[in-house]
Amino acid sequence: MTVTFEVTVTWGVEGGAMTQAVRVLLADDHPPLRLGLRVLLDRQPDIAVVAEAENGEEALEKILALQPDVAVLDCRLPGLSGPAVAQEIQRRGLPVHVLALSAYDCDRYLAEMWEAGACGYLLKEEPLEHIASAIQQVARGESLWTASQIQRIQRYRETEARWSQLTEREREVLKWMAQGLSNKEIARELGLTVRTVDFHVGNILQKLGVVSRLEAVLWAKEHGFL
């Protein structure tokens, strides 16, 4: 099967001079949101939506074929995720700027999109006019990352580094701890000696930088690991 794409070049008027419109791809698996955003952007004289995609593979295929100025990517696209698509754009050195658009104010998504080279991260609850303005800024190569977002990314990476120190067995023990089991009960569930479980619990507290079982459980829940 042969897939073809129609390439549209749109021009706007700025200061009496003709300027080429910003070419945009919208990738989101919610048709109503794509429609609403497209209707708004189509009203902008200097923005042209050249393609839409409902999953990551389709988004990447159209990005490769059309090379839009800006790709607006949902973080949780079916198939290839938004960060995975952005990483592929970066890996291939494509001249496509990425703007992340997500329903989730999530530190992990912030960090993944930052590392994948996105120029900014907006929430879907933002006014549509704000999103349109952000697309124009991103097309000019401007960064929309705020100091607050960068701080959150740094904190998330520090948190992730702590969690990565735990072995699979230690994470398993911590999950049982979160269910309120004592070391003796955990030992029975896992077929281990109480002394071995005591050893694992001690390692968990040390690696997470906490001083009690309760603190370890609360830390893991707070950061979304349980």
Side-chain angles (χ1 to χ4, degrees):
M1 180 178 67
T2 301
V3 180
T4 60
F5 300 98
E6 179 181 353
V7 180
T8 302
V9 178
T10 305
W11 300 84
V13 178
E14 181 177 345
M18 297 295 291
T19 59
Q20 187 171 353
V22 176
R23 302 170 64 252
V24 177
L25 173 136
L26 301 177
D28 194 285
D29 63 335
H30 294 90
L33 184 137
R34 287 204 318 271
L35 176 61
L37 188 53
R38 177 157 199 162
V39 168
L40 168 76
L41 296 179
D42 282 342
R43 295 174 182 167
Q44 309 298 314
D46 51 357
I47 294 178
V49 178
V50 297
E52 298 181 29
E54 62 181 6
N55 59 61
E57 287 81 359
E58 182 184 9
L60 183 58
E61 180 181 20
K62 291 183 177 180
I63 288 168
L64 291 173
L66 300 174
Q67 297 200 10
D69 301 306
V70 177
V72 179
L73 304 179
D74 181 15
C75 291
R76 296 184 63 177
L77 289 171
L80 281 178
S81 67
V85 174
Q87 286 175 352
E88 191 63 19
I89 291 172
Q90 188 177 53
R91 186 184 73 82
R92 293 173 182 257
L94 300 176
V96 179
H97 299 291
V98 172
L99 176 62
L101 189 62
S102 177
Y104 302 94
D105 189 15
C106 171
D107 291 352
R108 178 165 68 89
Y109 292 149
L110 280 171
E112 289 178 349
M113 294 305 294
W114 165 272
E115 292 179 351
C119 296
Y121 187 105
L122 295 183
L123 297 178
K124 292 179 181 179
E125 63 190 34
E126 295 277 357
L128 292 178
E129 293 78 8
H130 187 187
I131 296 174
S133 176
I135 288 173
Q136 294 167 334
Q137 291 176 269
V138 166
R140 295 193 294 267
E142 298 178 20
S143 173
L144 303 184
W145 293 99
T146 67
S148 174
Q149 287 176 327
I150 293 172
Q151 288 174 353
R152 288 173 58 189
I153 291 169
Q154 292 172 339
R155 286 197 301 268
Y156 174 77
R157 285 310 179 206
E158 292 169 359
T159 298
E160 189 181 55
R162 288 194 202 178
W163 180 254
S164 67
Q165 294 181 68
L166 299 186
T167 65
E168 286 301 318
R169 176 63 84 184
E170 288 165 353
R171 295 178 186 181
E172 190 176 12
V173 169
L174 182 54
K175 290 178 181 178
W176 285 111
M177 289 165 56
Q179 296 184 37
L181 273 65
S182 67
N183 287 8
K184 184 176 181 180
E185 291 169 327
I186 295 173
R188 185 165 56 248
E189 290 288 343
L190 298 179
L192 303 173
T193 66
V194 175
R195 182 176 179 181
T196 298
V197 174
D198 290 342
F199 177 76
H200 287 318
V201 171
N203 282 343
I204 291 169
L205 302 187
Q206 180 183 18
K207 291 176 180 180
L208 297 185
V210 297
V211 297
S212 70
R213 292 165 54 94
L214 177 59
E215 282 188 61
V217 170
L218 291 177
W219 183 94
K221 287 184 176 180
E222 176 185 354
H223 294 97
F225 294 117
L226 291 179

